[in-house]
């Protein structure tokens, strides 16, 4: 018994050492450094003028960093303790934007990686499969028609994304699903919801509502605060934790449906469950940041090209690369036009659009229906 246990432990050690490579560690370390540096740059700029030294000193101010009352205020909405002006500006106004970008970047990257495994298609993402368009339509409908539900906007966005994917799954079902049917159904549902979004704009008679809707549909972190962090934190952590724990199942799905079934996997049940996790992850980001186009498509490819295709490595890489790229993109969106803040979705779209075209031309086969 002891010998068998020892053999099992050695096998587990070899398996663990096999995927935790130096490349992965360096990649995660580099991504962390980029996230920290971009975040520090982000908190330096704003209407309240501060130097780099003043802003960074406020970030690492011990009386805030190790103050339980302050963290209680940030995370649970209790009364904010007395702070210096610099600390209030940085911690209560600017840092939440960085934290929201970190959460959104991680969840969108994880969501895109899952969808690419579930559909076995490199072109899949939350946006291709209709999640974002469903969420966008739900948001617009709330802003234009059901204005009394505006306080519940993030939850409604998540619900809209979920409903959209359920419709996609229902259309694609034909005694089971296939990767290509899922993608084609997603494209159809995406087009329908986008047409409905455009139709709703004809009913908008308030300029402020129109600007809010456009900002949501193009993806923006402007105006985000600790409220958005509180909304996204718990479901985001839950989705990421389940996704990381499911990396082996994702590897099996990549082998193909026949092989997966021969290994004892209930393919449709696993595919549906993992799709639900991907929807939850994407909805978390959409709820607090709007629709950040192409992000969930591009990040998994970048990580895959660096650390490899093993989903145990890929998911960890996405967890670190997503925040790094999202915070960096938000800094670029904020500083590109001087005083005017560009939606971060515009930046990701300008980069992701050509990359999507490159992937599409590179794809040799889309598979079978």
């Amino acid at each position: 018994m002891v010998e068998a246990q020892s053999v099992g432990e050695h096998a587990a050690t070899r398996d663990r050492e096999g995927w935790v490579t130096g490349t992965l560690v360096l990649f995660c370390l580099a991504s962390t450094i980029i996230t920290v540096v971009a975040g520090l740059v982000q908190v330096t700029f704003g209407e309240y003028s501060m130097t780099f030294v003043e802003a960074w000193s406020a970030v690492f101010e011990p009386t805030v960093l190790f103050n339980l009352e302050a963290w209680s205020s940030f995370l649970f909405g209790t009364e904010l303790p007395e702070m210096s002006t610099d600390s209030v500006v940085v911690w209560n106004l600017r840092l939440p934007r960085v934290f929201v970008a970190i959460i959104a970047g991680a969840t969108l990257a994880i969501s895109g990686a899952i969808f690419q495994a579930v559909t076995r298609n490199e072109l899949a993402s939350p946006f291709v499969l209709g999640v974002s368009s469903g969420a966008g339509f739900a948001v617009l409908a709330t802003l234009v028609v059901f204005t009394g539900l505006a306080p519940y906007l993030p939850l409604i966005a998540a619900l809209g994304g979920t409903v959209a994917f359920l419709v996609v799954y229902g259309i694609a079902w034909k005694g089971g699903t296939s990767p290509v049917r899922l993608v084609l159904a997603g494209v159809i549902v995406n087009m329908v919801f986008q047409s409905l979004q455009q139709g709703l704009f004809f009913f908008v008679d308030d300029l402020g509502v129109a600007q809010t809707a456009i900002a949501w549909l193009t993806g923006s972190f402007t105006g985000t605060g600790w409220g958005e962090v509180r909304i996204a934190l718990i479901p985001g952590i839950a989705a990421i934790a389940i996704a990381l724990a499911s990396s082996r199942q994702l590897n099996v799905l990549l082998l193909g449906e026949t092989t997966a079934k021969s290994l004892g996997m209930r393919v449709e049940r696993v595919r549906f469950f993992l799709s639900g996790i991907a929807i939850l992850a994407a909805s978390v980001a959409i709820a607090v940041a709007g629709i950040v186009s192409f992000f969930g498509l591009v990040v998994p490819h970048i990580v895959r090209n660096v650390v490899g295709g093993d989903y145990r490595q890929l998911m960890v890489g996405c967890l670190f690369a997503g925040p790094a790229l999202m915070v960096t993109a938000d800094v670029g969106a904020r500083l590109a036009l001087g005083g005017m803040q560009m939606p971060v979705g515009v930046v990701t779209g300008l980069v992701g659009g050509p990359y999507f075209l490159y992937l599409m031309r590179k794809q040799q086969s889309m598979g079978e229906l």
Side-chain angles (χ1 to χ4, degrees), residues 55-56 59 98 103 117 131 157 177 218 232 235 298 315 341:
W56 296 2
V59 171
V98 177
I103 296 170
V131 174
T177 61
T218 54
V298 173
M315 299 300 272
Q341 296 190 36

Side-chain angles (χ1 to χ4, degrees), residues 5-6 9 32 37 44 99 138 145 182 186 194 228 280 289 314 320:
Q5 183 177 358
S6 177
E9 290 176 352
T32 302
V37 172
T44 305
F99 291 143
V145 182
L182 280 173
Q194 285 182 354
E228 284 74 20
L280 174 62
L314 183 64
F320 285 85

Side-chain angles (χ1 to χ4, degrees), residues 162-231:
T162 301
V163 170
F165 186 77
L166 289 176
V167 173
V168 168
Y169 210 90
I171 294 174
W173 183 269
K174 188 178 180 182
T177 61
S178 74
V180 178
R181 282 206 302 274
L182 280 173
V183 171
L184 292 178
V187 170
I188 294 170
V189 171
N190 201 23
M191 293 174 63
V192 170
F193 274 115
Q194 285 182 354
S195 297
L196 292 173
Q197 290 171 16
Q198 294 170 3
L200 282 175
F201 272 102
F202 286 100
F203 298 94
V204 176
D205 55 5
D206 188 317
L207 180 60
V209 171
Q211 290 176 335
T212 301
I214 292 173
W216 195 287
L217 293 177
T218 54
S220 176
F221 296 110
T222 303
T224 52
W226 285 108
E228 284 74 20
V229 174
R230 290 191 287 269
I231 289 171

Side-chain angles (χ1 to χ4, degrees), residues 127-345:
F127 309 98
V128 172
L129 297 178
V131 174
S132 62
S133 59
F137 173 73
V139 169
L140 269 182
T142 302
L143 292 174
V144 176
V145 182
F146 307 105
T147 54
L149 298 176
Y152 306 100
L153 205 59
L155 297 178
I156 293 171
L159 179 62
T162 301
V163 170
F165 186 77
L166 289 176
V167 173
V168 168
Y169 210 90
I171 294 174
W173 183 269
K174 188 178 180 182
T177 61
S178 74
V180 178
R181 282 206 302 274
L182 280 173
V183 171
L184 292 178
V187 170
I188 294 170
V189 171
N190 201 23
M191 293 174 63
V192 170
F193 274 115
Q194 285 182 354
S195 297
L196 292 173
Q197 290 171 16
Q198 294 170 3
L200 282 175
F201 272 102
F202 286 100
F203 298 94
V204 176
D205 55 5
D206 188 317
L207 180 60
V209 171
Q211 290 176 335
T212 301
I214 292 173
W216 195 287
L217 293 177
T218 54
S220 176
F221 296 110
T222 303
T224 52
W226 285 108
E228 284 74 20
V229 174
R230 290 191 287 269
I231 289 171
L233 189 60
I234 293 177
I237 290 175
I240 290 170
I242 297 172
L244 292 174
S246 303
S247 56
R248 291 179 180 274
Q249 284 74 20
L250 292 167
N251 276 333
V252 174
L253 281 178
L254 288 176
L255 299 176
E257 189 167 332
T258 303
T259 303
K261 286 181 177 179
S262 69
L263 294 174
M265 175 181 283
R266 296 183 177 182
V267 175
E268 290 303 330
R269 180 176 297 182
V270 172
R271 183 180 286 167
F272 191 80
F273 172 75
L274 292 175
S275 297
I277 299 304
I279 292 168
L280 174 62
S283 296
V284 167
I286 293 170
V288 295
I291 300 173
V292 185
S293 58
F294 292 109
F295 195 85
L297 170 73
V298 173
V299 176
H301 281 282
I302 294 174
V303 178
R304 190 179 288 112
N305 289 335
V306 176
V307 305
D310 187 332
Y311 260 73
R312 293 171 298 180
Q313 299 174 324
L314 183 64
M315 299 300 272
V316 174
C318 286
L319 179 61
F320 285 85
L325 293 174
M326 185 67 83
V327 176
T328 302
D330 190 36
V331 171
R334 187 168 189 172
L335 302 181
L337 299 179
M340 182 182 297
Q341 296 190 36
M342 183 189 303
V344 69

